[in-house]
Amino acid sequence: MKITFYGAAGGVTGTSYYCETPQARILVDCGMFQGGRKAEAANRKAPPVDYQTLDAIVLTHAHLDHCGRLPLAARAGYRGPVFGTPATIDLSALVLRDSLKVQTGDLEKLNRMRARTGKPALEADFDEKDVENAIRLMKPIPYHESFEVAPGMSVIVDEAGHILGSGSLKVTVSEGGTTRSVIFSGDLGARGLPIVRDPEPFREADMVIMESTYGDRDHKPLQETINEAIGIIGNAIRLKGKILVPAFAIGRTQDLIYYLQQAFRQGGLPRIPIYIDSPMAIQATKIYLGHPELFDEEMKEFIASGEMERDKDYLRPTVTAEESRRLNEVEGPCIIIAGSGMCNAGRILHHLRHNLWRNDTSVLIVGYQADGTLGRSLVEGAPSVRIFGERIAVRAQIHKLGGFSAHAGQSDLLNWFNALAPARPRVVLTHGEDKAREALANILRHRYGLPPYLPQFGDTVEV
Ligand SMILES: [Zn+2]
């Protein structure tokens, strides 16, 4: 089998790997690139394969950088199956429809600007039909069972512990009497993440293609971060103002709600309302609750105790724009979780505009803030920021918490690999900046005597 890397090779986005044998051709993931102009250009086209002869696409999980180019594949004529676990399919549909909304909004803005300078309007890279076609192609595959995805090619999905439905894939190929297997780690979760189960390591393979996002470092211990968050929120509650939390709709929002509910339950925090001011996060939370079979023991116990149900009154989803606007009149203390995670779009902007200038407001930044985003300006201590063309003074308390991550740190990655090491597979490191994957490569070389290969875009390996 040959594997060609059409993304996440020297970066962390745009994951897509093309696997081919004389009989079968599949793509593992079909993700979007993120960040900057180069990414925008790369996102205009589906991965460069022949979609008339492609047998299947298999998804590891529903994040946009793993499924976001599916509508482009559909537009390029792909009509075969898109396999994923049932939760991955539910979440991918949500992610793709949201991505269309974002794309349409951005394009309208851009075309208004182009019109004013006399330039012709640009066309969308994909439309609603492409998105719905891609969603229609999705077919569920179970965890832990060998499933034939293409002639002579089968896949087993194990838990990757990253977000709901996430999987690591073992692809097994039988060619001319020999059998070869390749493991795709997918994005691996940190051990001990709430709600989802911990990653399950495989034990046997000829090759492993492994993510290396945090290959060069460990996260701060999760419990330490949780305690820090409780301390910050406790102080903010005493100010009686609003606590604004910009957060990504899938994964991070559900984790935060879980931590808050546990803090309420254990008496670490007084019960205050939590507004989930994001239609996408509300839908994602519903999808999470629809898959209790994927929960870890703690989450199952939490549900069985009946306490989650009892605390439901404190959780207030705000769906419509009108409901969201009404939060301006709500008295604190309360927590408002809203997108986007980096404060560069979405409802969080309205809350920041209404509350940043007040000194009883607290802003809790829990995710990565890319250069040039409003979130980054806040973290860097800007005395004022511009929102919707208006200059707003920053008198709110801004807190940054670094320890919440849905990705395995270096020790988690090594732990996962440890189970596979005795089989001495060939190792390929992807999905990491070069600094991170080189650091992980060094450890794997020294500890196991296995020198990993670090592919660039378009490189091919053979197993
Ligand atoms: Zn991911």
Side-chain angles (χ1 to χ4, degrees), residues 142-202:
Y143 277 98
H144 306 134
E145 278 172 38
S146 178
F147 189 92
E148 180 161 275
V149 293
M153 202 183 263
S154 62
V155 166
I156 294 183
V157 189
D158 269 10
E159 178 63 70
H162 172 60
I163 59 167
L164 193 83
S166 65
S168 302
L169 312 179
K170 182 174 187 170
V171 176
T172 303
V173 170
S174 303
E175 275 177 276
T178 55
T179 300
R180 290 272 178 272
S181 60
V182 179
I183 287 167
F184 295 85
S185 74
D187 287 7
L188 290 168
R191 284 205 292 180
L193 274 187
I195 308 174
V196 294
R197 303 171 295 194
D198 283 349
E200 296 166 329
F202 287 94

Short mmCIF file of all heavy atoms in Angstrom, two decimals, residues 142-202:
data_model
loop_
_atom_site.label_atom_id
_atom_site.label_comp_id
_atom_site.label_asym_id
_atom_site.label_seq_id
_atom_site.Cartn_x
_atom_site.Cartn_y
_atom_site.Cartn_z
N PRO A 142 -18.97 0.97 13.24
CA PRO A 142 -18.88 0.81 14.69
C PRO A 142 -17.43 0.88 15.17
O PRO A 142 -16.50 0.75 14.37
CB PRO A 142 -19.43 -0.60 14.92
CG PRO A 142 -19.13 -1.32 13.64
CD PRO A 142 -19.19 -0.31 12.54
N TYR A 143 -17.26 1.11 16.47
CA TYR A 143 -15.95 0.96 17.09
C TYR A 143 -15.61 -0.53 17.19
O TYR A 143 -16.51 -1.37 17.31
CB TYR A 143 -15.97 1.52 18.52
CG TYR A 143 -15.78 3.02 18.63
CD1 TYR A 143 -16.88 3.86 18.78
CD2 TYR A 143 -14.51 3.59 18.65
CE1 TYR A 143 -16.73 5.23 18.94
CE2 TYR A 143 -14.34 4.96 18.80
CZ TYR A 143 -15.45 5.77 18.95
OH TYR A 143 -15.29 7.12 19.11
N HIS A 144 -14.33 -0.83 17.16
CA HIS A 144 -13.80 -2.15 17.56
C HIS A 144 -14.15 -3.33 16.67
O HIS A 144 -13.90 -4.45 17.03
CB HIS A 144 -14.25 -2.50 19.00
CG HIS A 144 -13.90 -1.44 20.00
ND1 HIS A 144 -14.78 -0.98 20.95
CD2 HIS A 144 -12.76 -0.74 20.18
CE1 HIS A 144 -14.21 -0.05 21.67
NE2 HIS A 144 -12.98 0.13 21.23
N GLU A 145 -14.77 -3.06 15.50
CA GLU A 145 -15.09 -4.19 14.61
C GLU A 145 -14.45 -3.96 13.26
O GLU A 145 -14.51 -2.87 12.72
CB GLU A 145 -16.62 -4.26 14.39
CG GLU A 145 -17.35 -4.96 15.51
CD GLU A 145 -18.86 -4.83 15.35
OE1 GLU A 145 -19.35 -4.90 14.19
OE2 GLU A 145 -19.54 -4.65 16.37
N SER A 146 -13.85 -5.03 12.72
CA SER A 146 -13.23 -4.91 11.41
C SER A 146 -14.31 -4.68 10.36
O SER A 146 -15.32 -5.38 10.33
CB SER A 146 -12.45 -6.18 11.12
OG SER A 146 -11.90 -6.09 9.84
N PHE A 147 -14.09 -3.70 9.50
CA PHE A 147 -15.12 -3.30 8.53
C PHE A 147 -14.46 -3.10 7.17
O PHE A 147 -13.49 -2.36 7.06
CB PHE A 147 -15.76 -2.00 9.02
CG PHE A 147 -16.96 -1.58 8.26
CD1 PHE A 147 -18.23 -1.97 8.68
CD2 PHE A 147 -16.84 -0.79 7.12
CE1 PHE A 147 -19.36 -1.58 7.97
CE2 PHE A 147 -17.96 -0.40 6.40
CZ PHE A 147 -19.23 -0.79 6.83
N GLU A 148 -14.96 -3.79 6.14
CA GLU A 148 -14.34 -3.64 4.82
C GLU A 148 -14.78 -2.32 4.18
O GLU A 148 -15.97 -2.12 3.91
CB GLU A 148 -14.68 -4.81 3.91
CG GLU A 148 -14.03 -4.65 2.55
CD GLU A 148 -13.93 -5.94 1.75
OE1 GLU A 148 -12.95 -6.69 1.95
OE2 GLU A 148 -14.81 -6.16 0.91
N VAL A 149 -13.83 -1.40 3.95
CA VAL A 149 -14.18 -0.10 3.38
C VAL A 149 -13.92 -0.04 1.88
O VAL A 149 -14.44 0.83 1.18
CB VAL A 149 -13.41 1.06 4.08
CG1 VAL A 149 -13.85 1.20 5.53
CG2 VAL A 149 -11.90 0.88 3.99
N ALA A 150 -13.08 -0.95 1.38
CA ALA A 150 -12.75 -1.00 -0.04
C ALA A 150 -12.25 -2.42 -0.31
O ALA A 150 -11.89 -3.13 0.64
CB ALA A 150 -11.68 0.02 -0.37
N PRO A 151 -12.20 -2.84 -1.58
CA PRO A 151 -11.78 -4.22 -1.86
C PRO A 151 -10.42 -4.55 -1.23
O PRO A 151 -9.42 -3.87 -1.49
CB PRO A 151 -11.70 -4.26 -3.40
CG PRO A 151 -12.60 -3.18 -3.86
CD PRO A 151 -12.55 -2.11 -2.82
N GLY A 152 -10.40 -5.55 -0.37
CA GLY A 152 -9.15 -5.99 0.26
C GLY A 152 -8.63 -5.05 1.33
O GLY A 152 -7.49 -5.18 1.77
N MET A 153 -9.45 -4.09 1.74
CA MET A 153 -8.99 -3.09 2.71
C MET A 153 -10.02 -2.94 3.83
O MET A 153 -11.17 -2.60 3.57
CB MET A 153 -8.83 -1.74 1.98
CG MET A 153 -7.89 -0.77 2.65
SD MET A 153 -7.87 0.78 1.74
CE MET A 153 -6.42 0.60 0.71
N SER A 154 -9.59 -3.26 5.05
CA SER A 154 -10.54 -3.14 6.16
C SER A 154 -10.02 -2.19 7.23
O SER A 154 -8.81 -1.94 7.32
CB SER A 154 -10.84 -4.51 6.76
OG SER A 154 -9.65 -5.06 7.28
N VAL A 155 -10.95 -1.68 8.01
CA VAL A 155 -10.62 -0.66 9.02
C VAL A 155 -11.19 -1.08 10.37
O VAL A 155 -12.32 -1.56 10.44
CB VAL A 155 -11.21 0.71 8.61
CG1 VAL A 155 -11.18 1.70 9.77
CG2 VAL A 155 -10.45 1.30 7.43
N ILE A 156 -10.39 -0.91 11.42
CA ILE A 156 -10.91 -1.02 12.79
C ILE A 156 -10.74 0.34 13.45
O ILE A 156 -9.66 0.95 13.36
CB ILE A 156 -10.16 -2.08 13.62
CG1 ILE A 156 -10.40 -3.47 13.06
CG2 ILE A 156 -10.59 -2.03 15.09
CD1 ILE A 156 -9.74 -4.58 13.86
N VAL A 157 -11.80 0.83 14.11
CA VAL A 157 -11.72 2.10 14.81
C VAL A 157 -11.61 1.84 16.31
O VAL A 157 -12.42 1.12 16.88
CB VAL A 157 -13.00 2.94 14.59
CG1 VAL A 157 -12.82 4.35 15.14
CG2 VAL A 157 -13.38 2.99 13.13
N ASP A 158 -10.62 2.42 16.95
CA ASP A 158 -10.53 2.39 18.41
C ASP A 158 -10.68 3.81 18.94
O ASP A 158 -10.51 4.78 18.19
CB ASP A 158 -9.18 1.81 18.86
CG ASP A 158 -9.26 0.30 19.05
OD1 ASP A 158 -10.29 -0.29 18.67
OD2 ASP A 158 -8.30 -0.29 19.57
N GLU A 159 -11.00 3.92 20.22
CA GLU A 159 -11.21 5.24 20.84
C GLU A 159 -9.92 6.07 20.80
O GLU A 159 -8.84 5.59 21.19
CB GLU A 159 -11.65 5.04 22.29
CG GLU A 159 -11.87 6.30 23.09
CD GLU A 159 -12.99 7.16 22.53
OE1 GLU A 159 -14.18 6.77 22.64
OE2 GLU A 159 -12.66 8.24 22.00
N ALA A 160 -10.03 7.33 20.34
CA ALA A 160 -8.88 8.23 20.35
C ALA A 160 -8.95 9.23 21.51
O ALA A 160 -7.99 9.94 21.78
CB ALA A 160 -8.76 8.98 19.02
N GLY A 161 -10.11 9.30 22.18
CA GLY A 161 -10.22 10.11 23.40
C GLY A 161 -10.04 11.61 23.20
O GLY A 161 -9.65 12.32 24.12
N HIS A 162 -10.36 12.12 22.02
CA HIS A 162 -10.08 13.52 21.68
C HIS A 162 -11.35 14.36 21.75
O HIS A 162 -11.42 15.31 22.53
CB HIS A 162 -9.46 13.52 20.28
CG HIS A 162 -9.25 14.86 19.66
ND1 HIS A 162 -8.45 15.83 20.21
CD2 HIS A 162 -9.72 15.37 18.49
CE1 HIS A 162 -8.46 16.89 19.41
NE2 HIS A 162 -9.22 16.64 18.37
N ILE A 163 -12.36 14.01 20.96
CA ILE A 163 -13.71 14.57 21.12
C ILE A 163 -14.68 13.40 20.96
O ILE A 163 -14.26 12.30 20.60
CB ILE A 163 -14.06 15.67 20.10
CG1 ILE A 163 -13.95 15.15 18.66
CG2 ILE A 163 -13.22 16.91 20.31
CD1 ILE A 163 -14.59 16.06 17.63
N LEU A 164 -15.95 13.66 21.19
CA LEU A 164 -16.95 12.60 21.06
C LEU A 164 -16.86 11.96 19.67
O LEU A 164 -16.85 12.66 18.67
CB LEU A 164 -18.35 13.17 21.27
CG LEU A 164 -19.43 12.12 21.46
CD1 LEU A 164 -19.47 11.66 22.92
CD2 LEU A 164 -20.79 12.66 21.04
N GLY A 165 -16.79 10.64 19.64
CA GLY A 165 -16.78 9.92 18.37
C GLY A 165 -15.41 9.78 17.73
O GLY A 165 -15.27 9.15 16.68
N SER A 166 -14.38 10.38 18.33
CA SER A 166 -13.07 10.37 17.68
C SER A 166 -12.46 8.97 17.70
O SER A 166 -12.66 8.20 18.63
CB SER A 166 -12.13 11.35 18.38
OG SER A 166 -11.86 10.93 19.70
N GLY A 167 -11.72 8.67 16.64
CA GLY A 167 -11.14 7.34 16.55
C GLY A 167 -9.72 7.34 16.02
O GLY A 167 -9.30 8.26 15.31
N SER A 168 -8.97 6.30 16.41
CA SER A 168 -7.73 5.95 15.73
C SER A 168 -8.09 4.80 14.80
O SER A 168 -8.92 3.97 15.16
CB SER A 168 -6.67 5.48 16.72
OG SER A 168 -6.42 6.46 17.70
N LEU A 169 -7.48 4.77 13.62
CA LEU A 169 -7.85 3.74 12.63
C LEU A 169 -6.72 2.77 12.41
O LEU A 169 -5.56 3.17 12.29
CB LEU A 169 -8.17 4.39 11.28
CG LEU A 169 -9.12 5.59 11.24
CD1 LEU A 169 -9.26 6.06 9.78
CD2 LEU A 169 -10.47 5.23 11.81
N LYS A 170 -7.07 1.50 12.33
CA LYS A 170 -6.11 0.51 11.86
C LYS A 170 -6.58 0.03 10.50
O LYS A 170 -7.66 -0.57 10.38
CB LYS A 170 -6.01 -0.65 12.84
CG LYS A 170 -4.97 -1.69 12.44
CD LYS A 170 -4.84 -2.72 13.54
CE LYS A 170 -3.69 -3.67 13.25
NZ LYS A 170 -3.41 -4.52 14.42
N VAL A 171 -5.80 0.33 9.47
CA VAL A 171 -6.17 -0.07 8.12
C VAL A 171 -5.36 -1.32 7.77
O VAL A 171 -4.13 -1.31 7.84
CB VAL A 171 -5.86 1.05 7.11
CG1 VAL A 171 -6.15 0.61 5.68
CG2 VAL A 171 -6.67 2.30 7.45
N THR A 172 -6.06 -2.40 7.42
CA THR A 172 -5.38 -3.66 7.09
C THR A 172 -5.63 -3.99 5.63
O THR A 172 -6.75 -3.90 5.14
CB THR A 172 -5.90 -4.80 7.99
OG1 THR A 172 -5.69 -4.42 9.35
CG2 THR A 172 -5.15 -6.09 7.74
N VAL A 173 -4.55 -4.36 4.94
CA VAL A 173 -4.63 -4.63 3.51
C VAL A 173 -4.10 -6.02 3.22
O VAL A 173 -3.04 -6.40 3.72
CB VAL A 173 -3.78 -3.60 2.74
CG1 VAL A 173 -3.67 -3.98 1.29
CG2 VAL A 173 -4.38 -2.22 2.86
N SER A 174 -4.85 -6.78 2.45
CA SER A 174 -4.35 -8.08 1.99
C SER A 174 -4.03 -7.97 0.51
O SER A 174 -4.90 -7.65 -0.30
CB SER A 174 -5.41 -9.16 2.21
OG SER A 174 -5.76 -9.19 3.57
N GLU A 175 -2.76 -8.20 0.19
CA GLU A 175 -2.31 -8.10 -1.20
C GLU A 175 -1.46 -9.32 -1.51
O GLU A 175 -0.46 -9.55 -0.82
CB GLU A 175 -1.40 -6.88 -1.39
CG GLU A 175 -2.08 -5.57 -1.65
CD GLU A 175 -1.05 -4.44 -1.74
OE1 GLU A 175 -0.65 -3.90 -0.71
OE2 GLU A 175 -0.66 -4.12 -2.87
N GLY A 176 -1.85 -10.09 -2.51
CA GLY A 176 -1.05 -11.22 -2.97
C GLY A 176 -0.59 -12.13 -1.84
O GLY A 176 0.58 -12.50 -1.78
N GLY A 177 -1.48 -12.46 -0.94
CA GLY A 177 -1.16 -13.41 0.12
C GLY A 177 -0.48 -12.81 1.34
O GLY A 177 -0.29 -13.49 2.34
N THR A 178 -0.10 -11.54 1.29
CA THR A 178 0.48 -10.93 2.49
C THR A 178 -0.50 -9.90 3.06
O THR A 178 -1.29 -9.30 2.34
CB THR A 178 1.82 -10.22 2.19
OG1 THR A 178 1.59 -9.27 1.15
CG2 THR A 178 2.90 -11.18 1.79
N THR A 179 -0.39 -9.73 4.37
CA THR A 179 -1.25 -8.76 5.04
C THR A 179 -0.38 -7.70 5.68
O THR A 179 0.64 -8.00 6.30
CB THR A 179 -2.07 -9.49 6.12
OG1 THR A 179 -2.85 -10.48 5.47
CG2 THR A 179 -3.00 -8.54 6.86
N ARG A 180 -0.77 -6.44 5.48
CA ARG A 180 -0.02 -5.32 6.05
C ARG A 180 -1.01 -4.42 6.79
O ARG A 180 -2.14 -4.25 6.33
CB ARG A 180 0.65 -4.49 4.95
CG ARG A 180 1.80 -5.19 4.27
CD ARG A 180 3.09 -4.93 5.01
NE ARG A 180 4.22 -5.63 4.41
CZ ARG A 180 4.59 -6.87 4.71
NH1 ARG A 180 3.89 -7.57 5.58
NH2 ARG A 180 5.63 -7.43 4.13
N SER A 181 -0.56 -3.84 7.89
CA SER A 181 -1.47 -2.94 8.59
C SER A 181 -0.79 -1.62 8.94
O SER A 181 0.40 -1.57 9.26
CB SER A 181 -2.01 -3.61 9.84
OG SER A 181 -0.95 -3.94 10.69
N VAL A 182 -1.59 -0.57 8.85
CA VAL A 182 -1.11 0.78 9.14
C VAL A 182 -2.09 1.42 10.13
O VAL A 182 -3.30 1.35 9.94
CB VAL A 182 -1.07 1.65 7.86
CG1 VAL A 182 -0.61 3.06 8.18
CG2 VAL A 182 -0.16 1.02 6.83
N ILE A 183 -1.53 2.02 11.16
CA ILE A 183 -2.38 2.71 12.13
C ILE A 183 -2.31 4.22 11.90
O ILE A 183 -1.22 4.78 11.75
CB ILE A 183 -1.94 2.36 13.56
CG1 ILE A 183 -2.35 0.92 13.86
CG2 ILE A 183 -2.57 3.31 14.58
CD1 ILE A 183 -1.72 0.37 15.09
N PHE A 184 -3.47 4.84 11.86
CA PHE A 184 -3.56 6.29 11.82
C PHE A 184 -4.04 6.72 13.20
O PHE A 184 -5.18 6.41 13.57
CB PHE A 184 -4.55 6.74 10.75
CG PHE A 184 -4.12 6.39 9.36
CD1 PHE A 184 -4.40 5.13 8.83
CD2 PHE A 184 -3.42 7.29 8.57
CE1 PHE A 184 -4.00 4.80 7.53
CE2 PHE A 184 -3.02 6.97 7.28
CZ PHE A 184 -3.31 5.72 6.76
N SER A 185 -3.20 7.41 13.95
CA SER A 185 -3.59 7.75 15.33
C SER A 185 -4.79 8.69 15.36
O SER A 185 -5.55 8.67 16.32
CB SER A 185 -2.42 8.40 16.07
OG SER A 185 -2.22 9.73 15.61
N GLY A 186 -4.99 9.49 14.30
CA GLY A 186 -5.96 10.59 14.40
C GLY A 186 -5.46 11.56 15.45
O GLY A 186 -4.33 11.43 15.92
N ASP A 187 -6.29 12.51 15.83
CA ASP A 187 -5.91 13.38 16.95
C ASP A 187 -6.14 12.60 18.23
O ASP A 187 -7.24 12.09 18.46
CB ASP A 187 -6.78 14.65 16.98
CG ASP A 187 -6.42 15.61 15.86
OD1 ASP A 187 -5.60 15.25 15.00
OD2 ASP A 187 -6.98 16.73 15.85
N LEU A 188 -5.11 12.52 19.06
CA LEU A 188 -5.23 11.77 20.31
C LEU A 188 -5.56 12.71 21.45
O LEU A 188 -5.01 13.81 21.54
CB LEU A 188 -3.92 11.04 20.61
CG LEU A 188 -3.60 9.87 19.68
CD1 LEU A 188 -2.15 9.42 19.87
CD2 LEU A 188 -4.55 8.70 19.91
N GLY A 189 -6.44 12.26 22.34
CA GLY A 189 -6.81 13.08 23.49
C GLY A 189 -5.82 12.92 24.62
O GLY A 189 -5.02 11.98 24.64
N ALA A 190 -5.88 13.87 25.55
CA ALA A 190 -5.09 13.74 26.78
C ALA A 190 -5.80 12.73 27.67
O ALA A 190 -7.04 12.65 27.68
CB ALA A 190 -5.00 15.09 27.46
N ARG A 191 -5.05 11.96 28.43
CA ARG A 191 -5.69 11.03 29.35
C ARG A 191 -6.38 11.81 30.46
O ARG A 191 -5.86 12.84 30.92
CB ARG A 191 -4.67 10.08 29.94
CG ARG A 191 -4.29 9.02 28.91
CD ARG A 191 -3.80 7.76 29.58
NE ARG A 191 -2.53 8.00 30.25
CZ ARG A 191 -1.88 7.07 30.92
NH1 ARG A 191 -2.37 5.86 31.03
NH2 ARG A 191 -0.72 7.36 31.48
N GLY A 192 -7.57 11.36 30.87
CA GLY A 192 -8.28 12.03 31.96
C GLY A 192 -9.17 13.17 31.51
O GLY A 192 -9.75 13.86 32.34
N LEU A 193 -9.29 13.40 30.20
CA LEU A 193 -10.25 14.41 29.73
C LEU A 193 -11.65 14.02 30.20
O LEU A 193 -11.96 12.84 30.28
CB LEU A 193 -10.28 14.45 28.20
CG LEU A 193 -9.29 15.32 27.45
CD1 LEU A 193 -9.66 15.31 25.97
CD2 LEU A 193 -9.29 16.75 27.95
N PRO A 194 -12.50 15.01 30.51
CA PRO A 194 -13.83 14.64 30.96
C PRO A 194 -14.70 14.13 29.81
O PRO A 194 -14.36 14.34 28.65
CB PRO A 194 -14.39 15.96 31.50
CG PRO A 194 -13.69 17.00 30.72
CD PRO A 194 -12.31 16.46 30.44
N ILE A 195 -15.79 13.49 30.16
CA ILE A 195 -16.85 13.01 29.27
C ILE A 195 -16.41 11.84 28.39
O ILE A 195 -17.01 10.78 28.45
CB ILE A 195 -17.44 14.14 28.38
CG1 ILE A 195 -17.86 15.33 29.27
CG2 ILE A 195 -18.63 13.62 27.58
CD1 ILE A 195 -18.31 16.56 28.50
N VAL A 196 -15.37 12.03 27.57
CA VAL A 196 -14.99 10.96 26.65
C VAL A 196 -14.05 9.95 27.31
O VAL A 196 -13.38 10.27 28.29
CB VAL A 196 -14.32 11.50 25.36
CG1 VAL A 196 -15.31 12.31 24.55
CG2 VAL A 196 -13.08 12.33 25.68
N ARG A 197 -13.99 8.77 26.73
CA ARG A 197 -13.11 7.72 27.24
C ARG A 197 -11.66 8.06 26.91
O ARG A 197 -11.38 8.88 26.04
CB ARG A 197 -13.48 6.38 26.58
CG ARG A 197 -14.94 6.00 26.79
CD ARG A 197 -15.35 4.80 25.97
NE ARG A 197 -15.30 5.03 24.54
CZ ARG A 197 -15.86 4.24 23.63
NH1 ARG A 197 -16.48 3.15 24.01
NH2 ARG A 197 -15.77 4.53 22.34
N ASP A 198 -10.74 7.42 27.61
CA ASP A 198 -9.32 7.65 27.32
C ASP A 198 -8.94 6.94 26.01
O ASP A 198 -9.59 5.98 25.61
CB ASP A 198 -8.46 7.09 28.46
CG ASP A 198 -8.48 8.01 29.68
OD1 ASP A 198 -8.98 9.14 29.55
OD2 ASP A 198 -7.99 7.61 30.74
N PRO A 199 -7.86 7.43 25.35
CA PRO A 199 -7.43 6.76 24.12
C PRO A 199 -7.06 5.30 24.37
O PRO A 199 -6.50 4.97 25.41
CB PRO A 199 -6.16 7.54 23.71
CG PRO A 199 -6.13 8.75 24.54
CD PRO A 199 -7.01 8.56 25.71
N GLU A 200 -7.40 4.46 23.38
CA GLU A 200 -7.03 3.03 23.48
C GLU A 200 -5.87 2.77 22.54
O GLU A 200 -5.99 2.99 21.33
CB GLU A 200 -8.20 2.16 23.02
CG GLU A 200 -9.44 2.27 23.88
CD GLU A 200 -10.66 1.66 23.20
OE1 GLU A 200 -10.75 1.69 21.95
OE2 GLU A 200 -11.51 1.18 23.91
N PRO A 201 -4.76 2.30 23.05
CA PRO A 201 -3.63 2.06 22.16
C PRO A 201 -3.77 0.73 21.41
O PRO A 201 -4.31 -0.23 21.93
CB PRO A 201 -2.44 1.99 23.13
CG PRO A 201 -3.01 1.69 24.46
CD PRO A 201 -4.47 2.02 24.46
N PHE A 202 -3.27 0.71 20.17
CA PHE A 202 -3.17 -0.54 19.41
C PHE A 202 -1.86 -1.22 19.79
O PHE A 202 -0.96 -0.60 20.33
CB PHE A 202 -3.14 -0.23 17.91
CG PHE A 202 -4.46 0.21 17.35
CD1 PHE A 202 -4.76 1.57 17.24
CD2 PHE A 202 -5.39 -0.72 16.91
CE1 PHE A 202 -5.97 1.97 16.70
CE2 PHE A 202 -6.59 -0.30 16.37
CZ PHE A 202 -6.89 1.04 16.26
#
